[in-house]
Amino acid sequence: MTSSELRFIPFASRRDKGWNEAWKLYESSFPACERWDEAAYDRAFADPAFTADGVWLDGEFVGLLFHWTHDAFDYVEHLAVSPLRRGQSLGSRILDAFCQGRRVILEIDPPEDEISIRRLHFYQRLGFAANPHDYIHPSFRRPFHPHRLVLMSRPGTLSDGEARRFADFIREHVLRYSEHEHPDLPRIE
């Protein structure tokens, strides 16, 4: 049996093949406070730091990986696998393929229940390290509810300076596409 190759195909607009499937997956995989509205993507598609990849396997849409490129790291903002393809290690394959040769940062909920603990272990198995920094992140939509997240990074943990540069990038660049007008979060405490 041969292993099929994953293909990462960036969306250039909401009219691209697979966007409707990606949008349905996005809406069903993330709570409203962690999502942008669709119009924000119209602006973000033109941002060279942002990439919204559709993930394809043998011509079938199987997931999404929305990420940002900074000169010092790549930030994985959203990763989701089609419900029909979950349990087949596709999330691991997608993330492992993406991370090759990169400094990658992502955020997870604090490991406080069974699901969040399993998520922590998933990322740790893929070589991510939990960082000790106290990281407070805003929601993307009103009403804004700041919440604590855990920064995960690969390879290795972040220095204080790296964590601060990451928080600055989110606040000053990524949040341009949220409902915030003058964000003061995220921050490292």
Side-chain angles (χ1 to χ4, degrees):
M1 182 172 127
T2 60
S3 177
S4 297
E5 184 179 334
L6 291 171
R7 294 189 61 214
F8 295 79
I9 301 175
F11 294 107
S13 81
R14 292 189 288 154
R15 293 179 303 279
D16 288 354
K17 175 185 175 187
W19 178 258
N20 289 338
E21 292 169 273
W23 187 254
K24 287 177 191 170
L25 177 59
Y26 178 74
E27 286 192 310
S28 67
S29 298
F30 303 100
C33 68
E34 294 178 14
R35 297 189 315 250
W36 310 352
D37 65 32
E38 254 187 313
Y41 283 99
D42 290 333
R43 296 189 326 271
F45 287 132
D47 188 327
F50 177 70
T51 305
D53 282 327
V55 183
W56 302 80
L57 183 65
D58 299 330
E60 174 190 354
F61 173 81
V62 296
L64 60 84
L65 179 69
F66 295 175
H67 55 96
W68 295 84
T69 301
H70 179 276
D71 61 349
F73 55 81
D74 288 278
Y75 164 51
V76 172
E77 184 176 28
H78 292 102
L79 166 66
V81 173
S82 170
L84 300 174
R85 299 304 297 260
R86 290 182 186 152
Q88 300 174 17
S89 299
L90 281 176
S92 298
R93 285 180 60 194
I94 291 167
L95 200 52
D96 192 52
F98 176 78
C99 289
Q100 295 305 309
R102 301 176 194 232
R103 175 71 156 152
V104 178
I105 303 171
L106 53 83
E107 308 147 323
I108 64 169
D109 290 324
E112 298 171 344
D113 59 24
E114 182 182 342
I115 292 173
S116 58
I117 291 169
R118 284 191 0 232
R119 189 171 295 124
L120 171 70
H121 292 157
F122 167 79
Y123 289 114
Q124 288 174 327
R125 283 190 305 275
L126 289 170
F128 282 84
N131 287 269
H133 306 92
D134 287 328
Y135 178 72
I136 309 298
H137 193 282
S139 51
F140 290 137
R141 293 177 146 173
R142 289 182 173 88
F144 300 126
H145 296 291
H147 50 286
R148 189 170 73 84
L149 294 174
V150 175
L151 294 179
M152 303 285 297
S153 54
R154 174 180 162 172
T157 57
L158 302 171
S159 68
D160 286 343
E162 287 176 309
R164 290 183 196 291
R165 278 192 299 281
F166 173 74
D168 291 347
F169 178 73
I170 300 300
R171 186 180 57 256
E172 296 166 7
H173 197 93
V174 174
L175 289 180
R176 287 187 216 167
Y177 302 99
S178 72
E179 293 180 359
H180 288 272
E181 293 175 18
H182 304 287
D184 61 354
L185 293 173
R187 65 178 179 264
I188 300 293
E189 295 186 333

